[in-house]
Amino acid sequence: MAEVEETLKRIQTHKGVIGTIVVNAEGIPIRTTLDNSTTVQYTGLLHQLTMKARSTVRDIDPQNDLAFLRIRSKKHEIMVAPDKEYLLIVIQNPSE
Amino acid sequence: PIGQTSDELFSSQVHPVLFSAYKTVGFVFDENGKDVTPQPLYQPDPAAVMSKHSKIFASDTSGGTMSDFYSTAYQTTTNASFAGPFTRSVFGSSTVSRGSQSTMESMNEEIEDPSSKRDISISLSDVQVRREEVKELIKEEMLDDVVDRYLIESETLWLLHMPAVSVSVDSEEAESVKERNNLYMELCKNRMGNDKYVERSMQTFNGAPKTKEVQSEAITMVDAATTWDMYDSFRSAGLGEAALSPDTDKATSASSSRIEIEPFVVPSEDEPDPELVLQSEKFQQDLFVMERIILENIYQPKLAAYRQLPTLEDPDSVPKVVPTVVSRREESSLDEESTLTPALERLWSFSCELTSGHNVSSMAWNKRNPDLLAVGYGQFDFKDQKSGLICCWSLKNPTWPERVFTCESGVTTLDFSASNASQLAVGMHDGSIATYNVESREKTPVIDSSDCAHKHTSPVWQVRWIDHERGASGEDKGETLISVSADGRISKWFLRKGLDCIDLMKLKRTRNEKDKKQVGDKEKKSEALISRQAPGLCFDFHPTDSNIYIAGTEEGHIHKCSCSYNEQFLETYIAHKGPLYRITWSPFCSDVFLSCSSDWTIQLWRQDLFTPVLGFTSTQSAVYDVMWSPKWATVFGAVNEGRVEIWDLGASILDPTIVSLASPGVKLTSLLFATETDCILVGDSDGQVSIYQLKNLTVGEGTQVRQGFPTG
């Protein structure tokens, strides 16, 4: 457990990382380093996108599953590690 | 329109007849007796119609004439009509067959009032006759015949009749119409004030609404069943996915199976602790991967340079041209490359807060995973001994080691095993040797030499896993761990009820011939009192013959030994004046080895010559580490206290080709070449392991094994 906390802390201190959010299956943020409104916004939107992405992957081949999702935009990169139980979201600005 | 199928005809028993009734005698009259028959849209093939109807009418009529046939058809329809004003009496001549009578009853109803005009049948029969005539073959003789043609005007068929709303003044009705109009106008005038016409409001009663219950089957709302949804449902219901074919009716089968499997679905625990998520194994895994991805974003250019891949450029930034290391095969373009001087480019360094302050004493690559590096931290001097540290670093995460092991005493040497790639052997300053399993997360060594009776009593300066292809006895086959220590012994370790060792060699002190004469008795005696053994500092086994090895001692002597003799040296090479820190065979040239020592020199030896072939001195500081390049036969790297030097013997034997200075205050202590890329790792006394890339190093005739090094 302590290792998890340590790793989370370390991730947050890496260069360019803007925020880290951990959301559980119900959409409640468990850990977040951003403010509330931003967290809620990211959570809601990314949850839907993840569902859609997973549905797409599995529709093509039901034995496959979504492992990771990365969205590279002009300003940031949003990385989502999806699971049935949680969503791990990290937003990084890689060119900083 | 000729081919009317039997299906159509028999679709209902009524209609064919009706249809033919239309065709034949069908005339519709409204109440006023006006004929409003619509023109038939097509003429059915009389032959076909006839054949069908013959069945219906159970025919005697088959042989009958046209007119007879149609008259009977007509008869039947008239008989079937409920309220036909027209009776049987229309066609007097025709007879109703029995068969037709029976079918009459079977036929039902809703037949319009057929008319009974003779003209009709005549006209129709004429039509039929005409048709028949058309079909007849026109023969030669017939051309000259006089044929009679009768033209008859048919009845007028009213299609639309709109009664007029205006009447001509001259017509008979004009008067009555005028009068009626006048009356109406009077009426309108009299309306005001007339009792007959009173404005009155009305109210319609709205009936009280009544709730009425309706019952229907349950309407199940399901999302469109996706392929994976069905797959999951079948999996969890245990039905197996083999039977499901995508062509079957998806929605219904999915919904039905869904209803079935409701009891099978594992109900989730009521309100699990949200924090529980953080402790799950999968979460840790995802965190791990996420961290690596983040770091990849940060370090991508450096890692790509390391792996000699083209670097991805940010499209917004100005692209920099990264000169790649020139391959040794490009000898022709030497002129161009001379403008680009060979240099070391620093890529990144492995360090974290755990390692700061520790001295890097040794580094080793994993034999199976070329991205995994083990670094041992420990002081060389006996003065500031701290607890030692071993960190396993992965190239994918330069900011945090994958594994961290703490040891009681400083780590002086380590080596990965080749046969068991996760086994790491560690030698420490207090003389103990331990092996760790880096795959597991255990913090303790797998095995330790502290219980061994013959363990080393002084710092272990080098350990190495040696693979003996052929050994003296059966147990020598395979890999064994060899160590050399300051107590003058070279030991071979093996597992026999715990870690145990036997001595391969005891490094006796040898004296130089010159010294023997000069040194007086006193000194001899005092020397003998301290120790008969010379502390061994380094060794290296021959690359091809695993029986032969060379060892360096603190006295500065190099001894060539064999595993078969553990009492005597085969040869002794004396040239260094100080302790030898490293000795290493050339990987390309099996007769040649290098040694470096604290007397500021690096010496190049040939096996059969007792004086060094070449000596290299660049600065006045002890050379801590030297290593041959695994790629080029003439290149080796050396690290002394303040600088990293890359020597290329093909270019110059007097000066190093590349020199890179260390940061002030930091001593460089160890060196390692990367096996597959042109990079070197340099460890320093501050706990940092820096990766440098060799740039623009042109080496001519690299891998050619050169048998003869120039002597002297």
Side-chain angles (χ1 to χ4, degrees):
Chain A
M1 185 64 198
E3 210 180 299
V4 165
E5 294 288 346
E6 219 180 87
T7 313
L8 269 172
K9 212 164 53 166
R10 237 183 19 246
I11 286 182
Q12 186 55 34
T13 55
H14 280 313
K15 190 175 96 158
V17 172
I18 296 168
T20 312
I21 307 172
V22 181
V23 193
N24 73 350
E26 285 134 29
I28 303 168
I30 307 174
R31 285 271 185 286
T32 171
T33 59
L34 300 167
D35 58 281
N36 203 21
S37 55
T38 317
T39 303
V40 166
Q41 191 178 27
Y42 267 106
T43 307
L45 293 169
L46 285 170
H47 187 259
Q48 291 176 38
L49 185 65
T50 312
M51 297 299 276
K52 191 71 185 168
R54 173 176 277 136
S55 180
T56 307
V57 168
R58 295 206 71 206
D59 261 349
I60 294 168
D61 176 7
Q63 288 175 329
N64 206 353
D65 198 4
L66 183 67
F68 209 87
L69 187 64
R70 281 170 93 158
I71 304 155
R72 185 74 187 251
S73 72
K74 277 193 206 159
K75 294 189 191 170
H76 309 134
E77 180 161 355
I78 305 171
M79 293 166 274
V80 181
D83 189 77
K84 284 199 191 52
E85 319 270 317
Y86 60 85
L87 267 184
L88 170 63
I89 303 167
V90 175
I91 303 122
Q92 186 189 20
N93 182 359
S95 57
E96 194 180 280
Chain B
I2 288 173
Q4 193 178 16
T5 60
S6 55
D7 285 348
E8 285 171 49
L9 279 176
F10 285 101
S11 57
S12 67
Q13 298 231 335
V14 181
H15 292 299
V17 178
L18 183 69
F19 204 43
S20 61
Y22 266 122
K23 298 295 149 288
T24 55
V25 286
F27 268 68
V28 180
F29 292 90
D30 62 7
E31 312 86 59
N32 297 334
K34 288 189 191 159
D35 188 356
V36 288
T37 319
Q39 189 79 31
L41 288 174
Y42 82 93
Q43 309 288 336
D45 183 7
V49 172
M50 188 160 61
S51 59
K52 302 302 178 291
H53 284 297
S54 63
K55 284 190 203 164
I56 297 176
F57 298 119
S59 36
D60 315 345
T61 60
S62 56
T65 60
M66 275 305 170
S67 51
D68 272 357
F69 172 67
Y70 283 108
S71 56
T72 44
Y74 173 69
Q75 284 301 93
T76 57
T77 54
T78 50
N79 294 337
S81 71
F82 296 117
F86 308 99
T87 62
R88 241 177 255 213
S89 60
V90 173
F91 276 119
S93 57
S94 63
T95 51
V96 180
S97 65
R98 285 191 192 173
S100 57
Q101 261 184 336
S102 60
T103 53
M104 266 190 285
E105 282 125 30
S106 65
M107 279 191 287
N108 47 2
E109 17 340 318
E110 307 251 39
I111 302 176
E112 345 271 315
D113 304 301
S115 69
S116 58
K117 299 279 155 83
R118 281 180 206 165
D119 328 335
I120 305 158
S121 54
I122 291 168
S123 62
L124 282 168
S125 53
D126 280 348
V127 168
Q128 302 307 323
V129 166
R130 257 181 257 134
R131 267 217 196 147
E132 287 245 331
E133 282 189 46
V134 164
K135 284 185 192 164
E136 255 178 63
L137 284 174
I138 299 172
K139 298 181 188 141
E140 287 277 335
E141 312 81 57
M142 289 164 70
L143 286 174
D144 295 334
D145 286 354
V146 176
V147 182
D148 292 331
R149 288 276 177 265
Y150 299 99
L151 293 175
I152 301 169
E153 186 189 336
S154 66
E155 273 280 313
T156 313
L157 297 171
W158 291 91
L159 292 174
L160 176 68
H161 182 242
M162 283 169 60
V165 294
S166 58
V167 174
S168 160
V169 181
D170 299 332
S171 72
E172 312 94 54
E173 301 167 318
E175 283 301 319
S176 55
V177 170
K178 265 193 210 165
E179 211 180 300
R180 286 216 312 271
N181 286 351
N182 287 334
L183 275 174
Y184 185 68
M185 270 175 9
E186 295 277 337
L187 187 71
C188 288
K189 281 184 213 158
N190 292 339
R191 237 177 62 167
M192 313 301 286
N194 196 334
D195 284 337
K196 277 194 195 171
Y197 302 95
V198 172
E199 295 245 346
R200 208 163 54 176
S201 54
M202 295 286 287
Q203 183 174 13
T204 54
F205 289 107
N206 295 325
K210 173 178 140 184
T211 52
K212 192 175 164 194
E213 276 153 7
V214 177
Q215 188 171 11
S216 73
E217 285 190 19
I219 303 165
T220 49
M221 310 280 269
V222 294
D223 302 318
T226 54
T227 318
W228 54 267
D229 211 353
M230 291 186 287
Y231 178 83
D232 281 347
S233 316
F234 272 90
R235 283 273 304 277
S236 58
L239 295 175
E241 54 269 24
L244 177 65
S245 74
D247 303 314
T248 56
D249 190 1
K250 291 182 185 181
T252 52
S253 65
S255 55
S256 60
S257 65
R258 189 185 291 251
I259 294 162
E260 283 161 39
I261 63 165
E262 288 295 84
F264 288 100
V265 169
V266 176
S268 56
E269 305 89 35
D270 34 356
E271 285 314 312
D273 184 14
E275 299 281 315
L276 213 61
V277 160
L278 293 176
Q279 291 160 19
S280 67
E281 185 66 40
K282 180 106 193 333
F283 185 73
Q284 285 184 17
Q285 181 93 21
D286 276 346
L287 266 181
F288 178 67
V289 172
M290 179 71 83
E291 195 180 0
R292 284 198 171 178
I293 291 180
I294 293 171
L295 288 163
E296 185 219 330
N297 271 336
I298 299 171
Y299 285 101
Q300 199 277 334
K302 310 287 188 203
L303 284 173
Y306 178 84
R307 297 198 198 276
Q308 293 170 318
L309 294 171
T311 57
L312 295 175
E313 284 146 11
D314 194 359
D316 301 320
S317 71
V318 176
K320 287 186 293 182
V321 175
V322 176
T324 54
V325 176
V326 175
S327 143
R328 58 186 174 275
R329 290 173 201 89
E330 292 174 344
E331 294 166 11
S332 53
S333 46
L334 270 170
D335 298 331
E336 295 169 90
E337 276 113 30
S338 57
T339 57
L340 296 166
T341 51
L344 286 179
E345 183 187 315
R346 187 171 180 286
L347 293 177
W348 74 85
S349 69
F350 289 112
S351 73
C352 67
E353 71 229 1
L354 289 176
T355 64
S356 63
H358 288 75
N359 177 43
V360 174
S361 59
S362 57
M363 302 182 282
W365 288 108
N366 187 305
K367 302 281 193 299
R368 188 171 56 185
N369 178 1
D371 285 345
L372 196 63
L373 176 72
V375 180
Y377 301 84
Q379 306 298 116
F380 288 140
D381 299 335
F382 64 89
K383 288 185 296 221
D384 350 274
Q385 280 298 314
K386 304 183 220 184
S387 64
L389 195 63
I390 305 166
C391 287
C392 290
W393 295 89
S394 163
L395 273 170
K396 296 168 190 161
N397 188 346
T399 59
W400 194 260
E402 305 293 315
R403 298 279 187 275
V404 178
F405 305 104
T406 40
C407 318
E408 279 176 7
S409 69
V411 173
T412 49
T413 174
L414 36 75
D415 193 29
F416 267 109
S417 159
S419 59
N420 183 2
S422 58
Q423 197 172 32
L424 178 67
V426 175
M428 283 174 264
H429 203 274
D430 62 359
S432 53
I433 289 178
T435 59
Y436 286 86
N437 180 5
V438 298
E439 263 182 342
S440 75
R441 296 220 164 238
E442 288 283 315
K443 299 288 186 180
T444 53
V446 170
I447 197 153
D448 203 317
S449 76
S450 19
D451 298 330
C452 173
H454 304 294
K455 66 176 183 191
H456 291 297
T457 49
S458 309
V460 176
W461 288 112
Q462 188 153 358
V463 290
R464 191 64 67 83
W465 291 96
I466 302 295
D467 201 13
H468 296 283
E469 290 100 24
R470 39 183 184 88
S473 56
E475 63 186 310
D476 285 358
K477 277 223 192 324
E479 248 191 351
T480 50
L481 184 63
I482 315 277
S483 69
V484 69
S485 136
D487 61 3
R489 286 160 42 210
I490 298 180
S491 316
K492 180 158 90 167
W493 296 81
F494 46 89
L495 275 173
R496 194 203 283 164
K497 288 192 269 186
L499 204 56
D500 202 6
C501 71
I502 58 167
D503 285 344
L504 279 183
M505 178 61 66
K506 288 192 176 54
L507 297 166
K508 291 194 258 282
R509 286 183 182 270
T510 57
R511 283 187 210 131
N512 206 347
E513 293 299 318
K514 266 202 257 174
D515 287 348
K516 268 188 188 165
K517 292 168 192 166
Q518 288 166 6
V519 165
D521 281 357
K522 255 195 192 172
E523 280 164 308
K524 266 198 222 170
K525 281 178 197 162
S526 57
E527 274 200 56
L529 277 169
I530 294 169
S531 164
R532 283 228 205 109
Q533 321 274 60
L537 291 179
C538 53
F539 70 96
D540 194 13
F541 271 71
H542 196 273
T544 47
D545 182 2
S546 59
N547 233 0
I548 309 287
Y549 59 93
I550 41 174
T553 66
E554 205 179 24
E555 306 170 302
H557 301 325
I558 302 172
H559 303 291
K560 184 162 92 168
C561 322
S562 161
C563 293
S564 345
Y565 305 105
N566 59 358
E567 290 291 319
Q568 280 187 338
F569 310 129
L570 295 177
E571 309 282 352
T572 303
Y573 307 86
I574 301 173
H576 281 289
K577 298 178 184 58
L580 285 172
Y581 287 130
R582 185 72 70 197
I583 188 162
T584 164
W585 291 96
S586 162
F588 296 101
C589 209
S590 57
D591 283 338
V592 171
F593 59 89
L594 267 182
S595 59
C596 74
S597 103
S598 67
D599 66 354
W600 315 335
T601 63
I602 305 167
Q603 307 284 350
L604 180 72
W605 302 80
R606 232 174 73 173
Q607 224 188 140
D608 43 354
L609 299 175
F610 294 106
T611 53
V613 174
L614 283 174
F616 313 100
T617 316
S618 53
T619 52
Q620 296 174 349
S621 46
V623 184
Y624 283 123
D625 206 347
V626 72
M627 183 169 171
W628 287 99
S629 158
K631 260 173 94 163
W632 300 298
T634 57
V635 174
F636 64 88
V639 70
N640 52 36
E641 278 177 24
R643 5 196 277 181
V644 176
E645 297 170 350
I646 306 288
W647 293 76
D648 180 6
L649 297 177
S652 158
I653 57 173
L654 294 175
D655 285 317
T657 313
I658 308 175
V659 172
S660 170
L661 295 170
S663 347
V666 168
K667 283 199 276 185
L668 304 174
T669 53
S670 50
L671 175 78
L672 190 67
F673 271 87
T675 39
E676 280 150 31
T677 69
D678 300 330
C679 292
I680 58 169
L681 283 76
V682 178
D684 63 19
S685 59
D686 197 30
Q688 278 203 18
V689 176
S690 311
I691 312 246
Y692 292 89
Q693 192 181 30
L694 297 167
K695 300 192 96 51
N696 312 321
L697 194 64
T698 43
V699 181
E701 302 155 46
T703 49
Q704 259 187 28
V705 174
R706 296 208 275 170
Q707 281 304 317
F709 272 90
T711 56

